[in-house]
Amino acid sequence: MNIFPDIKKIAPFIALIFASHSSFAQTDSASKVRAANKWVKSKVWAKKLEIKVYPDINSVEFKRQYEANKTMWDKCFAFLADTAKLAKLAPGKYPIDGENAYASITDMPTRTPDVAKWESHRKYIDLQYVIKGEETIGVSPIGTATVTVPYDEKKDGANYTADGKYYLATPNVFYLFFPSEVHKPNIKVDGYDSDKKLVIKIKYAE
């Protein structure tokens, strides 16, 4: 007596189960993206912040990180929102929320594309905002990038070669770069040899 089922007979049912599971996972993922996009557009997170976030932000990760530590993020956005104060602040480091979030302001020359470097971070998210001037910033998924300088834990950084999408960074928009992305900031724009810039380091929630 054969107690084992006929594989040929049950194979279609197995395939149907896997197909249903895959379809459900895709639907669930798409639902999360739609919900996160709606959340970003609602600007409930922005409070008094009038500067726009760049259009291709990873909305799902942004929402997850914000909800993991709302108080810290609100402090970061309050710091960013005071553009009149940012324009007057001298280059240097400024506290926001202890080791959870801190700001650096620079006023320095931008770089040619061959000198600017692709980079990523693991411990901190980068919020980057051009206070005065303009620059180009590249962004690419970390999975498609090739490591050139391995990750240094003390510096919280690694460097890469990559192909990415480029954006014009102006005082009207800010950028958020998560550990799943590599970015190439500080690229020179014609007519702007330097810019004043804010970078807020925001602790990444695992």
Side-chain angles (χ1 to χ4, degrees):
M1 179 180 178
N2 185 7
I3 62 173
F4 297 102
D6 189 330
I7 297 299
K8 290 182 179 179
K9 291 182 179 180
I10 67 171
F13 297 101
I14 296 174
L16 181 60
I17 291 170
F18 277 106
S20 298
H21 178 76
S22 177
S23 177
F24 177 79
Q26 291 175 2
T27 301
D28 185 52
S29 178
S31 178
K32 285 183 179 180
V33 172
R34 285 194 299 270
N37 287 342
K38 184 178 180 180
W39 176 82
V40 172
K41 290 179 181 179
S42 74
K43 298 198 74 174
V44 294
W45 49 271
K47 305 299 187 287
K48 297 180 180 179
L49 181 64
E50 296 182 359
I51 305 164
K52 297 178 181 178
V53 65
Y54 87 109
D56 293 329
I57 185 171
N58 183 334
S59 58
V60 173
E61 185 67 359
F62 179 22
K63 185 174 184 291
R64 186 178 78 85
Q65 292 295 319
Y66 180 87
E67 291 176 347
N69 197 336
K70 180 179 180 297
T71 300
M72 175 191 68
W73 280 90
D74 287 345
K75 290 179 182 179
C76 293
F77 289 139
F79 190 94
L80 176 62
D82 195 347
T83 54
K85 181 179 179 180
L86 292 178
K88 296 176 182 178
L89 287 178
K93 291 187 177 181
Y94 296 87
I96 295 178
D97 187 29
E99 291 298 313
N100 291 323
Y102 57 91
S104 295
I105 290 180
T106 57
D107 194 345
M108 56 192 300
T110 45
R111 303 168 180 172
T112 56
D114 59 313
V115 175
K117 295 181 179 180
W118 289 98
E119 61 186 47
S120 77
H121 316 288
R122 294 181 185 177
K123 297 177 183 178
Y124 287 90
I125 299 159
D126 262 15
L127 186 158
Q128 299 199 10
Y129 170 67
V130 173
I131 301 168
K132 182 180 179 181
E134 292 183 3
E135 69 176 52
T136 297
I137 298 178
V139 187
S140 180
I142 197 168
T144 63
T146 302
V147 176
T148 56
V149 178
Y151 178 74
D152 186 320
E153 187 173 0
K154 290 184 178 180
K155 295 180 179 179
D156 186 36
N159 295 118
Y160 306 80
T161 57
D163 292 319
K165 187 173 181 179
Y166 291 86
Y167 303 85
L168 179 64
T170 71
N172 299 318
V173 61
F174 72 93
Y175 295 78
L176 283 170
F177 304 120
F178 302 100
S180 59
E181 300 162 316
V182 297
H183 50 284
K184 186 178 183 180
N186 307 122
I187 302 173
K188 185 180 182 302
V189 172
D190 288 343
Y192 295 91
D193 294 327
S194 64
D195 63 8
K196 185 176 183 180
K197 188 172 180 181
L198 166 70
V199 175
I200 301 179
K201 291 289 187 177
I202 304 170
K203 194 168 185 178
Y204 179 72
E206 297 290 346

